[in-house]
Amino acid sequence: MKLPSHDAAAREVAEDRSHRVILPRRAPKAPIRQVARRLMMALLVLVATVFIVWIDRDGYHDNAGGPLDLLDCVYYATVTLSTTGYGDIVPYSPGARLLNILLVTPLRVLFLIILVGTTLEVLTERTREQWKLTRWRNALRDHTVIVGYGTKGRSAAQTLRATGLARDRIVVVDPSTKVVESAVSEGFAGVVGDATRSDVLLRAEIQRAHQVVIATQRDDTAVLVSLTARQLNKHANIVAAVREEENAPLLRQSGADAVITSASAAGRLLGLSVHSPSAGAVMEDLIQQGSGLDLVERPVVKAEVGRSVRETDDLVVSVLRGHRLLGYDDPQASPLQTADRLITIVRAAPAEEPAASGKPSARPTLPGTAVSPMRPADD
């Protein structure tokens, strides 16, 4: 299998050469609304200044002679707030000068802040984004990195969310800026760049990640990403998808802990559905997390220690004991031990609804999951 240096999708990196991190943010306001809002605030400051000068107009002196009218007050407020100050109209009474010190001068400063607010916002935006990025990196631990956010990557993210993983614990890496922005709009953090490059994966803090999902479009790219990810993180659980089954051994050698052959898996599901549509529907339900029946892994609870596999509260498919995966019918699977983990079929817990009494349902759930047991616990 040839290993080109770049994925076909990675060519889109040319859209944006800078490998950058994009964090979820609130939708920005329209520029026209922001400008209109600033203009209204500046106009209010101007009107307030005119009013202050008008009520104390007798304390001002006009070099042209005569008392100040409304136009003179507007003129003085305008040249004062803009710091022009021609000196043709000046406050001469103590009261007028005191009002200038206490009111007009603060209004002048406020007026200038409003006018240069856009410039200040641009200057502080980078500092604010850098601060948010630094805080995000410092808080990011044991997260999940999803490389590739196409159909497979998006489905993986949805499944992880259905199992209870928070959005802020998922980081998406993709070479397309538009794809990453789509992931960010769903609440995930995103990194734009080619995941075969170590500097891009380091921006996703992969060295502190708990698990990595590789869902690229090409098998050769998946191999390169797996090699790079394993080099940066020796202990992460790496799960990768390949199209061709012949490439699965190579991907395992490159550092992947589990390899899913998407084309073969889809073909087997198609064959099963043709032979038995009902069995195909059950398998489809099992792999769709969060609805109907779910296939979950959970620890053995204290009450189950020493029992047989068939005496548990739900349907056990396999028992994970150390690094061995024992079938439910394996004689060595029973009795259950404290350190065992069970692969079980459970019914997904529905959203909590108020009971008839108005109190939330007290339906029990399995430890470490958000699902309900298939069989009720013994009294």
Side-chain angles (χ1 to χ4, degrees):
M1 182 179 65
K2 296 182 179 180
L3 297 177
S5 58
H6 295 283
D7 185 8
R11 297 171 185 171
E12 299 184 17
V13 178
E15 301 175 2
D16 189 353
R17 288 290 181 181
S18 59
H19 306 314
R20 56 196 179 96
V21 179
I22 305 178
L23 300 179
R25 67 179 69 181
R26 295 181 179 178
K29 297 181 180 178
I32 297 180
R33 292 185 59 185
Q34 294 185 18
V35 173
R37 181 170 173 266
R38 295 182 184 277
L39 290 177
M40 287 298 299
M41 293 175 62
L43 183 60
L44 290 176
V45 172
L46 178 61
V47 171
T49 306
V50 172
F51 177 74
I52 292 173
V53 176
W54 173 256
I55 62 176
D56 194 31
R57 59 187 179 279
D58 295 335
Y60 290 80
H61 174 71
D62 188 357
N63 292 336
L68 268 65
D69 56 14
L70 182 59
L71 180 59
D72 293 331
C73 294
V74 174
Y75 167 75
Y76 174 78
T78 303
V79 298
T80 299
L81 292 179
S82 62
T83 68
T84 304
Y86 294 114
D88 48 353
I89 300 178
V90 295
Y92 72 91
S93 69
R97 293 179 178 179
L98 183 62
L99 286 177
N100 263 263
I101 296 174
L102 298 179
L103 297 178
V104 177
T105 299
L107 287 174
R108 182 187 300 119
V109 175
L110 180 61
F111 186 81
L112 293 176
I113 291 177
I114 293 173
L115 290 183
V116 302
T118 302
T119 304
L120 292 176
E121 184 176 355
V122 172
L123 293 176
T124 58
E125 181 66 21
R126 290 186 178 180
T127 303
R128 184 165 57 248
E129 288 295 327
Q130 188 64 35
W131 177 79
K132 288 176 57 179
L133 183 59
T134 302
R135 187 179 64 173
W136 172 75
R137 284 176 172 169
N138 292 336
L140 199 60
R141 295 286 190 284
D142 296 331
H143 57 289
T144 298
V145 178
I146 299 179
V147 179
Y149 202 64
T151 302
K152 292 180 291 186
R154 192 181 301 270
S155 299
Q158 293 173 353
T159 301
L160 290 171
R161 287 284 299 126
T163 59
L165 187 63
R167 296 181 188 274
D168 57 0
R169 312 309 299 175
I170 298 177
V171 181
V172 174
V173 181
D174 198 277
S176 172
T177 302
K178 294 181 179 179
V179 171
V180 172
E181 289 177 349
S182 173
V184 171
S185 66
E186 298 175 15
F188 307 124
V191 178
V192 180
D194 183 2
T196 61
R197 299 170 57 93
S198 58
D199 58 330
V200 174
L201 293 180
L202 287 174
R203 290 180 181 272
E205 299 297 321
I206 196 171
Q207 69 276 14
R208 295 184 294 193
H210 177 63
Q211 48 198 8
V212 180
V213 177
I214 301 176
T216 55
Q217 298 296 324
R218 294 170 57 99
D219 292 356
D220 46 19
T221 305
V223 171
L224 292 176
V225 174
S226 180
L227 284 169
T228 308
R230 182 55 72 197
Q231 181 182 17
L232 298 174
N233 192 327
K234 303 295 183 183
H235 307 289
N237 180 34
I238 300 179
V239 179
V242 293
R243 291 179 176 271
E244 303 298 333
E245 193 168 1
E246 62 182 7
N247 296 328
L250 181 59
L251 198 54
R252 290 190 180 92
Q253 293 177 9
S254 66
D257 297 292
V259 179
I260 308 300
T261 307
S262 57
S264 298
R268 286 190 286 268
L269 185 58
L270 286 173
L272 178 62
S273 299
V274 170
H275 177 70
S276 175
S278 299
V282 172
M283 288 299 299
E284 181 76 15
D285 186 17
L286 286 175
I287 63 177
Q288 186 174 359
Q289 199 77 12
S291 63
L293 300 178
D294 285 346
L295 193 64
V296 301
E297 178 182 336
R298 67 171 180 86
V300 173
V301 298
K302 186 176 181 180
E304 295 172 337
V305 176
R307 289 187 178 183
S308 170
V309 169
R310 299 181 183 275
E311 296 176 348
T312 58
D313 295 333
D314 45 81
L315 302 180
V316 177
V317 179
S318 300
V319 177
L320 179 61
R321 180 169 298 158
H323 296 286
R324 294 187 303 162
L325 191 62
L326 307 175
Y328 74 95
D329 57 346
D330 193 319
Q332 299 182 10
S334 299
L336 296 176
Q337 301 177 10
T338 305
D340 289 347
R341 297 187 65 85
L342 305 180
I343 312 299
T344 64
I345 297 178
V346 297
R347 184 168 298 281
E352 289 188 1
E353 298 179 357
S357 61
K359 298 181 180 179
S361 173
R363 187 176 183 181
T365 57
L366 298 174
T369 68
V371 294
S372 301
M374 293 288 291
R375 297 191 293 265
D378 297 334
D379 294 336

